[in-house]
Amino acid sequence: MAADKVDPIHQFHIIKLVPINIGGYDLSFTNSALFMVATVVVAAAFLLLTTSSRSLVPGRLQSVSEMAYEFVGNMLRDAAGTQGMKFFPFVFSLFMFVLVANLLGLFPYFFTVTSHIIVTFGLAALVIGTVVVYGFMKHGFGFLKLFVPHGVPVFLLPLVVLIEVISFVSRPVSLSVRLFANMLAGHITLKVFSGFVVSLSALGAVGVAGSVLPLAMAVALTALELLVAFLQAYVFAVLTCMYLNDALHPGH
C-alpha cells in the first residue's frame, strides 16, 4: 500500500478483474473495461434523467444537457456546415464519452481510461475510418481531391500530394497522443504533489508545515485538471468536426 502512495505510475496499471481466455486470446475484463462501461452508463443515465421531463422551463441539470447539445451542434455546424449535422450523434457521443471519462478519472482511486494510448488511438482511428469510408461512399475517387490543393504548380504537385498524404495519415496519431499525453501528464503531476503531502506529513510538525505548499499545488492542479478534462474533450470533438468536413467537402 505504501508503494502505491508514492508511485505515480501505479494508477495506470491494467488489472484483470475477470480473467477470460478464449482460443489463446486474453479477453479478460479489466479495470479499464469496467470504467469504459461506467463512462457509457454515467453519460447515458445523466442525459436520460435530465431530459426525461423535458420541462418548458428547464431546471439546472436539464439546462446542462441542453447546453451540451447546443454546444456540440454549433461546433459541428461551424466546422462542417448544415450537412455535417448528419454526424451529430457520432460527434456528440464522442464528446460525452471523452468528457465523462476524463471527469471520472479525477476521483481518487478511479481509473482514467483516456490516459491509455490504446483507448485514445481507438477513438481516433474510428474518427479517421469514418472520414475515409464516408468520403469514398459519397464522392468515390473524387475524395482524393483532398490531397490535391487547388492552384499548386504541376512541378510541385508530387511533393504537395506527398505532404498532404503524410498529414492525413498522421491525424489519428496526433489526435490520440494529444488526449493521452495531457491526461497522463496531469495525473502523474497531481499524484507526485499528493505524494509529497503524504511523505512530509509523516515527518511530524515540521513536515506538516512543509506540506502546505505541495497541498496548495495539489488543489490548484486539481482545478487545472478539471479545466483540462473539458478542454481535451472539446479539442477532440472540434478536430473530429474538421476532419468530417473533409469527408463532406474534399475540395480545398
Side-chain angles (χ1 to χ4, degrees), residues 155-209:
F155 67 92
L156 285 178
L157 198 57
L159 177 61
V160 172
V161 169
L162 177 62
I163 293 173
E164 290 289 335
V165 170
I166 294 174
S167 175
F168 186 86
V169 172
S170 67
R171 284 180 177 181
V173 177
S174 61
L175 190 60
S176 59
V177 169
R178 183 183 294 105
L179 175 58
F180 148 76
N182 276 279
M183 301 311 299
L184 181 74
H187 281 63
I188 289 178
T189 306
L190 184 59
K191 186 77 171 184
V192 168
F193 278 99
S194 301
F196 286 160
V197 175
V198 175
S199 301
L200 290 172
S201 299
L203 299 178
V206 176
V208 171

Side-chain angles (χ1 to χ4, degrees), residues 7 35 40 44 65 84-85 93 96 107-108 111-112 118 120 126 136 143 149 151 157 163-164 206 215 245:
D7 180 12
F35 277 93
V40 173
S65 295
M85 290 304 292
S93 298
M96 291 301 298
F107 287 89
F111 188 86
T112 311
I118 187 62
T120 59
L126 177 62
F136 277 109
F143 176 66
L157 198 57
I163 293 173
E164 290 289 335
V206 176
L215 177 60
N245 180 57

Side-chain angles (χ1 to χ4, degrees), residues 46-199:
F46 175 78
L47 293 172
L48 288 173
L49 291 175
T50 55
T51 59
S52 58
S53 61
R54 298 179 184 176
S55 302
L56 184 61
V57 180
R60 294 180 180 178
L61 293 180
Q62 184 178 337
S63 297
V64 172
S65 295
E66 292 180 358
M67 287 173 60
Y69 182 95
E70 288 298 325
F71 179 74
V72 176
N74 292 334
M75 182 196 315
L76 187 54
R77 276 189 291 267
D78 291 341
T82 55
Q83 292 182 358
M85 290 304 292
K86 65 181 67 177
F87 291 106
F88 176 81
F90 176 63
V91 178
F92 186 74
S93 298
L94 281 175
F95 174 77
M96 291 301 298
F97 180 86
V98 174
L99 177 61
V100 174
N102 290 349
L103 293 176
L104 287 179
L106 294 176
F107 287 89
Y109 302 107
F110 277 29
F111 188 86
T112 311
V113 297
T114 48
S115 64
H116 278 249
I117 186 67
I118 187 62
V119 175
T120 59
F121 185 80
L123 295 175
L126 177 62
V127 172
I128 301 304
T130 301
V131 170
V132 172
V133 171
Y134 182 83
F136 277 109
M137 286 178 58
K138 181 175 176 62
H139 305 284
F141 288 103
F143 176 66
L144 297 178
K145 293 179 182 178
L146 180 65
F147 308 110
V148 186
H150 290 300
V152 177
V154 176
F155 67 92
L156 285 178
L157 198 57
L159 177 61
V160 172
V161 169
L162 177 62
I163 293 173
E164 290 289 335
V165 170
I166 294 174
S167 175
F168 186 86
V169 172
S170 67
R171 284 180 177 181
V173 177
S174 61
L175 190 60
S176 59
V177 169
R178 183 183 294 105
L179 175 58
F180 148 76
N182 276 279
M183 301 311 299
L184 181 74
H187 281 63
I188 289 178
T189 306
L190 184 59
K191 186 77 171 184
V192 168
F193 278 99
S194 301
F196 286 160
V197 175
V198 175
S199 301

